[in-house]
Structures are given as structure tokens and as C-alpha cells.
């Protein structure tokens, strides 16, 4: 990762104020989700377990997956697809960061990145990357939820703590469609570049 992006991540982290959010863990294994739309081999959309009355939404297309959270408006629900350039799949446990008043403000979800062997072009487990994706939770009065930051889970000494810091200090005030989600901390060579598609 270049120095400019690293510095930006550190600036964003230092700009936030200290908060005392709590973590709630929710299983979003796809067997627990309900299919909303499905075109076999092409595209699928599911509603998955959330936190309280805040839902989760899963999409899959072209061997890439996307998750979004909260009370999304119709445009974000229909048009948003945030993933990685490399083939990937999301984990099954969402960490919801919940404010003292009980409002979920952000989530953390681990992504697994497929990296090909340069000799064969085939994805191999030994080269798999892992990225903690931090997302802003859509609120009822806003309707916008999106990815707010990334932490390379293999390249940082305490990635979970760093991801929670991004979730608590960056995600709540992140402006979807305006601000750019970046890697915080070190980005190693197994962490793919993001692919973010949001409504204009």
C-alpha cells in the first residue's frame, strides 16, 4: 500500500472521538438466510439475520459476494454491490458494534480472498487473503449503508482491535457515495483492491 493511503487511514482514525460501543455477534451463514431473488449461476439476493430490527442483506454475482446492513433505502438495496476485484467469499459471523443507546452503528465481517498461483493461475489455499470489512449501518432516517474501511487481517498484529477502532471512529460519520473506503494499517499483497458500486 502506498504511503498516501496509509496516512489517510491514520488521519481518519485520529479524527474520531473515543466511544464505548459493545459487540454483538450474529451468524449469517447462508443456510440462515432467506432468498429474495435468485438466478442460478448468475445472481442471488438474500435477507439474512441482523441485530434487533436492523436486517442484513447478502448478494452474490460472478464468484464475488457483497453484504450490507440496516434500513437501506430502495436504491441502496437494489443497486449497491461492494466486494473485491479478486474472487472472494464472506465469512459467517458479523460483529455488530452497538452504541450505548442500543443503536447498531457499524459492522465487521471477515472476507476470504482467492489469490491465484502465478505458475498455474489456479486459486490455492496457501495464498488466500483475509480482510476485515467495516461497514456503516443504514439508519431509518438516512437509508444509506456502505463499506467504510478495510483491515488486512494477515498483515496487521491486532487486526480485530484495529477494525473495531475503524468501526467506532470512522464508520458512524462515513458519508456513503462521498467518502472513499480505504485500508487502515498495513495492506499486504494478499489483500485485494476493493470494488465499490453505489447509487449515484
Amino acid at each position: 500500500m502506498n504511503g498516501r493511503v496509509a496516512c489517510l487511514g491514520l488521519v481518519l482514525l485520529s479524527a474520531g472521538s473515543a466511544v464505548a460501543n459493545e459487540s454483538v455477534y450474529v451468524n449469517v451463514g447462508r443456510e440462515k438466510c432467506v432468498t429474495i431473488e435468485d438466478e442460478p449461476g448468475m445472481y442471488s439476493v438474500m435477507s439474512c439475520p441482523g441485530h434487533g430490527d436492523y436486517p442484513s442483506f447478502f448478494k452474490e454475482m460472478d464468484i464475488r459476494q457483497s453484504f450490507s446492513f440496516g434500513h437501506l433505502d430502495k436504491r441502496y438495496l437494489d443497486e449497491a454491490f461492494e466486494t473485491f476485484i479478486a474472487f472472494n467469499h464472506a465469512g459467517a459471523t458479523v460483529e455488530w458494534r452497538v452504541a450505548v443507546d442500543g443503536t447498531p452503528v457499524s459492522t465487521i465481517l471477515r472476507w476470504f480472498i482467492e489469490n491465484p498461483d502465478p505458475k498455474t493461475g489456479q486459486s490455492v489455499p496457501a495464498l488466500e487473503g483475509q480482510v476485515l470489512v467495516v461497514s456503516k449501518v443504514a439508519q431509518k432516517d438516512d437509508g444509506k449503508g456502505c463499506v467504510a474501511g478495510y483491515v488486512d487481517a494477515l498483515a496487521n498484529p491486532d487486526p480485530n482491535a484495529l477494525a473495531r477502532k475503524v468501526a467506532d471512529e470512522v464508520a458512524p460519520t462515513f458519508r456513503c457515495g462521498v467518502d472513499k473506503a480505504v485500508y487502515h494499517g498495513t495492506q499486504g499483497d494478499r489483500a485485494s483492491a476493493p470494488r465499490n458500486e453505489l447509487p449515484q
Side-chain angles (χ1 to χ4, degrees), residues 89-173:
H89 66 277
T93 302
V94 176
E95 179 179 355
W96 291 76
R97 295 294 286 171
V98 181
V100 292
D101 66 357
T103 302
V105 295
S106 57
T107 62
I108 303 169
L109 179 58
R110 187 178 299 263
W111 241 261
F112 299 89
I113 310 298
E114 296 185 25
N115 290 306
D117 185 322
K119 295 181 180 179
T120 66
Q122 300 296 313
S123 297
V124 292
L127 297 178
E128 182 180 76
Q130 295 185 30
V131 177
L132 299 177
V133 177
V134 179
S135 296
K136 177 178 183 176
V137 173
Q139 304 298 324
K140 292 179 180 179
D141 61 351
D142 181 48
K144 296 180 180 180
C146 62
V147 173
Y150 306 90
V151 173
D152 187 335
L154 302 181
N156 292 281
D158 193 349
N160 292 309
L162 180 55
R164 290 185 189 113
K165 189 172 180 66
V166 177
D168 293 345
E169 299 182 6
V170 176
T173 57

Side-chain angles (χ1 to χ4, degrees), residues 36-97:
I36 299 173
E37 184 180 348
D38 184 42
E39 198 170 323
M42 297 291 293
Y43 185 76
S44 65
V45 181
M46 294 180 170
S47 175
C48 298
H51 176 69
D53 67 343
Y54 286 75
S56 300
F57 296 98
F58 167 82
K59 294 180 180 179
E60 184 168 24
M61 180 173 59
D62 190 26
I63 321 179
R64 295 170 177 86
Q65 298 183 349
S66 177
F67 258 99
S68 50
F69 306 91
H71 299 285
L72 299 167
D73 64 26
K74 189 175 188 316
R75 291 192 65 201
Y76 269 76
L77 183 59
D78 292 345
E79 300 176 28
F81 192 85
E82 296 191 278
T83 186
F84 294 91
I85 291 176
F87 293 152
N88 62 78
H89 66 277
T93 302
V94 176
E95 179 179 355
W96 291 76
R97 295 294 286 171

